[in-house]
Amino acid sequence: MVNLKWYPMRVTYHREMKIKKQMDLLGIESFVPMRYELVETRHGRRRMLVPAVHNLIFIHSTQEALTHLKMTKKECEPLRYMMKPVPGSNQTRSEIMIVPDDEMYNFMRVASMQDDSVMFLDYKDFIGKEGRRVRINEGTFAGVEGVIKRIKKNKHVVVQVEGVAAVAIAFVPSSYLSII
């Protein structure tokens, strides 16, 4: 049995949608967080669906298959593994980042909402801010787990892929939450 894992990967020069299309053609599951944005076009301003975090794609595969694609498919050359320091190595060694399945599915479920109920955050905006871990029990996001964090003076449930990206749910009634 193949042991698939979620790999957050950088893509050079805003080519995340080209890579997503290539992954779809190859039958490889991938995810690019998207949001609506007003974009200037030659026909005026239009509301368009664009990547929420540029140069980022999550790919569900094996490391061997990804490395093979990067080496053999011209379309996959822009892919770059994201690295993290190995704990206890004084940041002298690093390893390829892998996102646990449950963390990825929580993130995808919330980040897939392409309306005003969610907002994407720069990871540095809330890093170091402690919060209570909660589970949402009712509503659109029932079953999602996250952390309550204060952002711009308001409390939000934040779902994050640690060290990569985060999305905050604009409003969840406190009666829908349970502390875990």
Side-chain angles (χ1 to χ4, degrees), residues 14-174:
H14 297 275
R15 293 184 275 195
E16 56 274 355
M17 295 313 293
K18 287 181 182 178
I19 297 290
K20 169 84 172 119
K21 184 177 179 181
Q22 185 64 36
M23 293 298 122
D24 291 347
L25 289 171
L26 294 169
I28 298 172
E29 185 179 9
S30 62
F31 179 72
V32 175
M34 304 289 284
R35 71 172 174 204
Y36 280 100
E37 194 173 279
L38 287 177
V39 178
E40 282 291 332
T41 67
R42 64 179 182 213
H43 303 292
R45 295 181 79 157
R46 297 183 65 196
R47 189 170 183 247
M48 296 179 67
L49 196 57
V50 298
V53 182
H54 287 289
N55 302 325
L56 176 67
I57 186 170
F58 296 90
I59 300 176
H60 198 212
S61 185
T62 63
Q63 184 178 341
E64 295 79 20
L66 278 172
T67 300
H68 179 74
L69 282 174
K70 286 168 42 76
M71 303 295 271
T72 60
K73 283 231 173 257
K74 186 177 189 317
E75 300 85 0
C76 297
E77 282 179 14
L79 284 170
R80 303 288 181 262
Y81 287 111
M82 291 181 70
M83 307 300 281
K84 69 177 183 178
V86 174
S89 69
N90 294 333
Q91 301 203 0
T92 56
R93 289 189 355 209
S94 57
E95 63 187 11
I96 294 172
M97 289 182 85
I98 297 170
V99 181
D101 285 346
D102 57 341
E103 190 175 313
M104 191 65 206
Y105 291 123
N106 270 333
F107 180 76
M108 287 192 312
R109 183 144 172 237
V110 176
S112 294
M113 297 296 288
Q114 296 159 348
D115 59 21
D116 293 337
S117 65
V118 299
M119 60 183 168
F120 288 87
L121 305 172
D122 284 335
Y123 197 74
K124 63 183 176 277
D125 287 344
F126 64 88
I127 196 163
K129 294 181 181 177
E130 294 299 316
R132 287 186 160 177
R133 190 135 182 86
V134 295
R135 178 177 298 112
I136 302 172
N137 298 314
E138 296 180 43
T140 305
F141 300 109
V144 169
E145 294 179 7
V147 177
I148 295 178
K149 302 232 182 195
R150 189 171 293 279
I151 301 162
K152 298 179 183 174
K153 300 183 182 180
N154 294 313
K155 288 183 181 179
H156 298 276
V157 175
V158 175
V159 178
Q160 64 189 28
V161 173
E162 194 166 333
V164 181
V167 62
I169 301 170
F171 176 75
V172 178
S174 57

